[in-house]
Amino acid sequence: MNKRTFLKMLSSVAALPVLSPVLNWALGDKLKNWAGNVEYSTDRLYSADSLEQVREFVRKQANLKVLGTRHCFNQIADSTQYFLSLKAMDKVVAIDSTARTATIEAGITYGQLCPYLDSHGFALHNLASLPHISVAGACSTATHGSGDGNGNLSTAVSALEFITAAGDVAKLSREHDGQTFQGVVVGLGALGVITRLTLDIQPRYMMRQYVYENLPFSEVKEHFDTIMSSAYSVSLFTDWQKQRVNEVWLKSRIEEGHSSPEAPQDFFGAKPATKDLHPIAALSGENCTPQMGVPGPWYERLPHFRMGFTPSAGKELQSEYFVPRRHAVEAILATERLHEQVRPHLLISEIRSIAADNLWMSPCYGEPHVTIHFTWKPDWPSVKSLLPVIEKELEPFEVRPHWGKLFTITPANLQTSYQKSRDFIDLCRRYDPKGKFRNDFLNQNIFGVIS
Ligand SMILES: Cc1cc2nc3c(=O)[nH]c(=O)nc-3n(C[C@H](O)[C@H](O)[C@H](O)COP(=O)(O)OP(=O)(O)OC[C@H]3O[C@@H](n4cnc5c(N)ncnc54)[C@H](O)[C@@H]3O)c2cc1C
């Protein structure tokens, strides 16, 4: 941080006696996202630890964004004015074992929440590949795991509390607020500051995961539905080379009172791995959740990566595309045809399945989808010129990008691909008439304003 920015920050502290700025950045680098590919447009980061502090901060600022755990790869979280962190608001407020819900403060991460739920006898329906991310940030971008029967993580939200642009407290629930609630849950950070979320929970369960190597693409083509429904959560990792899926990750629930059948020695031609693997073959399986069929709690099997270890590669970029399930095989084969162009830039790809939901800005709105994900080497100029090639290939399959990852699909195409985008804009205007929570990403991709 240069001297000018630092002084500017101190003068804004004086104007805001209640909240304290997070000064870590004064000592080191500029404020960046987790991957380091986005340098945020301001380092004025404030931390709130109560509802009243959030309300006061929102009332005072003309423009701000909440920063979660900074795991998005694009500018969706960026601000040129102020950031607000709710990291200090990380408590579990209540567990209602009759209603089977947990109410949490919005700064909590899955890594903090899951062991707590488990120790109280409860679990969530699904998790992303990593537990390091904030629940509010993940739900705001429709973050997902895998599993034919599993909606994305935001489908677990049954109620939420957020602070509107006026500083008012809005409380909405699935039960009482129908369409409005469905519009707000995947809110892309555009509606206000989420301060609390209530999540559906269920009794804790145990799981085991098996990994298989070298699944021929011919089998994927012939048996896609059977393969993807063969476990509670299924991931196919491929480098698109040699007409095969490199690793199949099968995560199964161990139902009490039922003996688990032995894992077959052959899975559609793929063979069981002989040790714990990382999705990127060159990296150590130590960073990953235990495999080889070893039983463990749900929160240590659903994510691929372990808390306390670097998830994925660390030095990387990510893109991910959703296509309706009915186009899955064609879309996968179309991507495979690009294998020569993709190869030099790719670390690994992953194919997952997600159930349909009714959340307006969820890419899985209205029908089940599959995702084709790319973990890229950190070379944005090359990736940037490759993305339009992939997007063109996937265009016939009604492709939509992950809200938190890198894409080049035009705002016009993005907006028309969401049936409810007009209603979402109206909803944003209701809670934030002057665009207090908007940034360039939202102006371009949602509101259609190129600034
Ligand atoms: C290694 C790695 C693995 C990943 N794996 C997966 C995966 O398996 N599946 C998947 O779908 N995605 C995955 N992602 C993407 C990631 O889950 C999403 O980008 C998610 O949004 C990150 O949450 P965050 O808190 O870090 O968000 P941030 O980047 O901090 O913020 C994201 C958005 O949420 C908003 N926001 C955050 N908190 C609040 C709040 N309290 N109120 C209002 N708005 C808020 C921000 O303003 C911003 O618009 C992965 C990312 C990484 C880096």
Side-chain angles (χ1 to χ4, degrees):
M1 178 184 294
N2 64 32
K3 198 172 154 202
R4 211 172 123 253
T5 319
F6 185 60
L7 289 175
K8 213 162 41 174
M9 186 155 92
L10 288 184
S11 64
S12 48
V13 179
L16 290 160
V18 177
L19 284 190
S20 53
V22 180
L23 287 173
N24 302 4
W25 314 105
L27 307 170
D29 287 342
K30 299 287 280 181
L31 183 55
K32 289 182 181 168
N33 67 342
W34 171 85
N37 67 306
V38 174
E39 190 177 284
Y40 295 121
S41 307
T42 180
D43 38 24
R44 284 187 289 249
L45 173 66
Y46 284 79
S47 172
D49 61 17
S50 70
L51 180 72
E52 276 317 309
Q53 284 193 350
V54 175
R55 294 185 69 189
E56 183 183 347
F57 191 77
V58 169
R59 276 197 215 105
K60 280 189 172 157
Q61 305 310 326
N63 188 268
L64 72 132
K65 295 301 295 175
V66 184
L67 207 47
T69 38
R70 300 180 290 115
H71 278 63
C72 285
F73 289 85
N74 58 29
Q75 272 87 355
I76 191 168
D78 197 14
S79 175
T80 54
Q81 302 302 314
Y82 288 99
F83 282 121
L84 184 61
S85 167
L86 272 55
K87 198 167 181 249
M89 295 173 68
D90 63 354
K91 309 285 174 306
V92 177
V93 178
I95 291 183
D96 183 336
S97 47
T98 311
R100 292 213 173 147
T101 59
T103 299
I104 55 169
E105 291 184 331
I108 200 168
T109 64
Y110 286 99
Q112 293 169 293
L113 172 63
C114 295
Y116 182 93
L117 285 180
D118 190 71
S119 70
H120 287 73
F122 290 103
L124 298 170
H125 78 292
N126 208 0
L127 291 169
S129 71
L130 77 175
H132 309 61
I133 50 178
S134 79
V135 177
C139 291
S140 295
T141 60
T143 291
H144 61 92
S146 192
D148 281 2
N150 299 324
N152 65 41
L153 305 190
S154 53
T155 60
V157 178
S158 68
L160 81 175
E161 171 190 274
F162 63 99
I163 307 306
T164 68
D168 297 331
V169 181
K171 293 184 183 189
L172 299 175
S173 72
R174 188 195 285 146
E175 193 186 353
H176 296 115
D177 298 289
Q179 288 275 314
T180 308
F181 175 79
Q182 291 164 18
V184 164
V185 176
V186 179
L188 312 177
L191 292 141
V193 180
I194 301 166
T195 43
R196 281 189 181 184
L197 291 156
T198 300
L199 305 177
D200 294 334
I201 53 175
Q202 54 183 276
R204 74 183 292 272
Y205 49 91
M206 297 287 282
M207 297 189 78
R208 58 174 101 233
Q209 66 180 334
Y210 288 101
V211 174
Y212 287 82
E213 292 185 273
N214 299 318
L215 171 70
F217 263 138
S218 54
E219 296 292 323
V220 175
K221 193 174 159 191
E222 284 304 308
H223 305 289
F224 186 72
D225 286 338
T226 317
I227 289 169
M228 295 311 282
S229 63
S230 62
Y232 185 72
S233 164
V234 177
S235 287
L236 309 180
F237 288 99
T238 179
D239 59 6
W240 305 104
Q241 304 306 303
K242 302 185 191 163
Q243 291 279 322
R244 54 100 168 86
V245 166
N246 308 46
E247 296 176 17
V248 182
W249 288 43
L250 302 176
K251 299 170 192 272
S252 303
R253 286 173 71 137
I254 303 171
E255 301 301 342
E256 254 178 64
H258 292 78
S259 60
S260 303
E262 280 300 300
Q265 283 308 300
D266 180 288
F267 182 81
F268 296 92
K271 299 293 178 233
T274 52
K275 59 172 186 175
D276 284 2
L277 297 181
H278 193 288
I280 302 167
L283 299 182
S284 165
E286 199 200 355
N287 294 16
C288 298
T289 49
Q291 302 154 38
M292 309 287 292
V294 178
W298 57 282
Y299 68 95
E300 290 179 354
R301 295 297 179 276
L302 283 170
H304 305 322
F305 305 110
R306 289 163 69 187
M307 200 65 197
F309 290 77
T310 300
S312 196
K315 289 195 174 84
E316 66 190 71
L317 302 174
Q318 292 188 11
S319 305
E320 188 166 32
Y321 297 101
F322 293 73
V323 294
R325 175 70 180 244
R326 61 196 148 84
H327 295 313
V329 172
E330 281 174 288
I332 292 166
L333 296 178
T335 311
E336 195 279 331
R337 285 195 288 274
L338 299 173
H339 66 274
E340 276 306 318
Q341 282 155 279
V342 162
R343 186 179 52 83
H345 311 293
L346 188 74
L347 289 171
I348 199 68
S349 271
E350 181 179 12
I351 296 162
R352 290 183 273 187
S353 64
I354 304 114
D357 61 54
N358 60 7
L359 305 172
W360 292 359
M361 298 311 281
S362 161
C364 301
Y365 180 81
E367 64 175 310
H369 279 65
V370 295
T371 52
I372 304 176
H373 163 93
F374 302 85
T375 303
W376 302 112
K377 294 175 188 170
D379 171 7
W380 177 230
S382 301
V383 171
K384 194 179 176 185
S385 45
L386 185 55
L387 293 184
V389 179
I390 297 171
E391 289 162 1
K392 187 161 185 292
E393 203 64 31
L394 293 178
E395 199 180 319
F397 309 119
E398 301 164 59
V399 64
R400 290 164 175 174
H402 190 300
W403 286 116
K405 301 187 183 181
L406 295 161
F407 62 88
T408 59
I409 290 174
T410 63
N413 284 346
L414 195 56
Q415 283 155 28
T416 50
S417 75
Y418 279 86
Q419 206 178 314
K420 290 285 197 180
S421 57
R422 175 51 51 194
D423 296 326
F424 182 69
I425 289 173
D426 291 345
L427 202 57
C428 293
R429 293 206 171 112
R430 189 195 309 173
Y431 291 109
D432 179 19
K434 293 185 183 157
K436 188 175 274 195
F437 302 112
R438 289 197 215 163
N439 57 10
D440 281 355
F441 179 96
L442 292 173
N443 279 334
Q444 288 173 28
N445 291 299
I446 303 296
F447 297 92
V449 185
I450 313 292
S451 60

